[in-house]
Amino acid sequence: MIVGLTGGIGSGKSTILECFKSFGIPVYIADDEAKKLMNRSKVIKRKLISLFGENAYVDDQLNRPYLASKIFNDKTLLSKMNAIVHPKVASHFNHWLNNQDSEYVIKEVAIIFENNLQDQYDYIITVVADEDLRKQRVMKRDNVSREKVEAIMKNQWSDADKIEKSDFVIVNDDLQKAKKQALDIHNMLLKLLKH
């Protein structure tokens, strides 16, 4: 069983993933794997350089600030980049999945709904948190301005829209409560597997 985990920037997805790991559930973080593949895969490198030019890589490593500046307000370029990277991540995930032996796995993808990927999951958990708290978390974590965080949030679906399409919701304003919600969902998923 594949469970998707999503949530807006700063909602605390990583914290919740740690909870599921502590329950012995394998976790696949799509963004992290995509970054690794963009640095490792010769095919992806070649295609990204042809799409973005030589500046796409510096010292053989992905030039993330450069790419971010190119795709941030250019949906067409973003789609082209995703068309290069996403299929590779999908096949990497399938290979990873075949090597897991737990009752279910969690695949974390920040933009499941934005990319219309919800059909790839048996269940979806959305992590939400107070908007101001999210902004503070990201500003502190990434050392960026409030405006930058707000611009990113504008490109993501609202929590309300995500909640409507999700099977489970974790409110991550209070860590102890969020951990309890994660455990409750874990137990529900195990029950669902038995039926």
Side-chain angles (χ1 to χ4, degrees):
M1 184 161 84
I2 302 169
V3 178
L5 187 133
T6 192
I9 188 167
S11 59
K13 294 182 293 294
S14 303
T15 306
I16 300 304
L17 289 174
E18 287 305 317
C19 295
F20 282 97
K21 281 186 196 168
S22 76
F23 310 147
I25 300 304
V27 164
Y28 185 94
I29 303 173
D31 279 354
D32 289 358
E33 297 305 330
K35 284 170 198 158
K36 288 178 198 164
L37 287 167
M38 289 161 101
N39 280 321
R40 275 198 315 247
S41 163
K42 288 182 174 55
V43 176
I44 291 179
K45 272 188 183 177
R46 199 174 59 241
K47 288 181 175 175
L48 288 179
I49 289 169
S50 90
L51 181 61
F52 293 103
E54 292 299 325
N55 290 336
Y57 287 85
V58 176
D59 298 330
D60 215 30
Q61 291 296 300
L62 188 67
N63 184 350
R64 288 182 46 212
Y66 173 77
L67 256 64
S69 72
K70 290 286 183 195
I71 60 177
F72 194 71
N73 289 314
D74 189 333
K75 296 270 191 274
T76 310
L77 213 47
L78 175 63
S79 297
K80 286 180 180 172
M81 184 182 85
N82 287 342
I84 294 168
V85 179
H86 286 173
K88 290 277 185 208
V89 175
S91 66
H92 184 269
F93 172 73
N94 288 331
H95 179 73
W96 175 85
L97 186 63
N98 291 332
N99 292 308
Q100 305 306 319
D101 63 355
S102 68
E103 286 105 336
Y104 70 94
V105 301
I106 289 199
K107 183 179 183 187
E108 190 253 295
V109 181
I111 47 178
I112 289 177
F113 300 117
E114 290 86 340
N115 285 337
N116 202 26
L117 303 173
Q118 55 269 32
D119 295 343
Q120 295 178 12
Y121 305 94
D122 297 294
Y123 296 97
I124 295 176
I125 302 167
T126 293
V127 182
V128 299
D130 173 74
E131 200 169 289
D132 278 332
L133 182 61
R134 288 171 53 198
K135 287 175 190 172
Q136 287 163 13
R137 283 175 181 164
V138 180
M139 283 158 56
K140 189 174 163 189
R141 182 189 73 197
D142 298 347
N143 196 18
V144 292
S145 69
R146 180 175 287 272
E147 292 70 34
K148 174 93 172 131
V149 180
E150 287 169 351
I152 294 167
M153 285 179 161
K154 276 199 191 92
N155 280 334
Q156 296 183 338
W157 278 29
S158 73
D159 284 349
D161 289 339
K162 287 180 181 159
I163 288 168
E164 197 179 307
K165 292 187 174 291
S166 301
D167 301 289
F168 303 102
V169 177
I170 294 177
V171 180
N172 191 11
D173 294 339
D174 174 294
L175 188 57
Q176 291 316 312
K177 287 180 184 165
K179 283 180 174 174
K180 167 93 173 63
Q181 291 169 59
L183 182 60
D184 291 346
I185 291 169
H186 170 67
N187 290 328
M188 266 188 264
L189 289 169
L190 294 180
K191 269 195 196 120
L192 288 165
L193 280 163
K194 289 191 172 78
H195 292 296

